[in-house]
Amino acid sequence: MIDELLVVRAQLGERAALAELVARWRVPIWTYVRRMLDAERADDMTQEIWPAVVRGLSRLREPGRFVPWLFTIARRSVTDRLRSEYAQEREILVLFYLEDLSVEDRARICQVPVGTVKSRLDRARRLLREHLDGKGHRP
């Protein structure tokens, strides 16, 4: 009931109510995000989540559904981030192993510095190795 009242007050423009909502849910949201990402990315992600919450709060028609709505925003943000990161690492693997392109060419194609290509390739190889080890495949 407290969250519902705070949501209504925040929707009416009361900044103190919004600040209290953020204060009440900042740690639980960070903890939820942290369980899916590392601490640094969790910090970045939660800083992206709260502006989305503030922008969308006026469209929340059922203030009593604030908590599931909040966690849905957090979940979608994490999922979008992971999808984006996965696509970038996959792209680097395809360009390296299947297209046999140089580091410089891959950097041009992906529009990132050479060092970023190298770090993405290293991370993608490590993740692939961990995945294969987890499936019982040994080189």
Side-chain angles (χ1 to χ4, degrees), residues 29 32-33 36 45-46 48-60 65-81:
I29 288 297
Y32 172 74
V33 171
M36 292 183 275
M45 181 60 47
T46 53
E48 293 173 19
I49 290 168
W50 286 109
V53 169
V54 170
R55 284 190 306 272
L57 195 59
S58 65
R59 295 186 303 272
L60 179 62
R65 306 263 316 134
F66 173 74
V67 174
W69 176 79
L70 173 62
F71 277 86
T72 299
I73 290 173
R75 179 186 173 277
R76 286 183 182 152
S77 297
V78 169
T79 302
D80 289 349
R81 168 75 59 94

Side-chain angles (χ1 to χ4, degrees), residues 21 30-31 33 39 50 69 85 93 99 107-108 124 126 133-134:
L21 273 174
W30 183 88
T31 302
V33 171
W50 286 109
W69 176 79
E85 289 175 2
L93 287 172
E99 302 302 329
R108 271 188 229 107
R126 184 175 32 82
D133 286 348

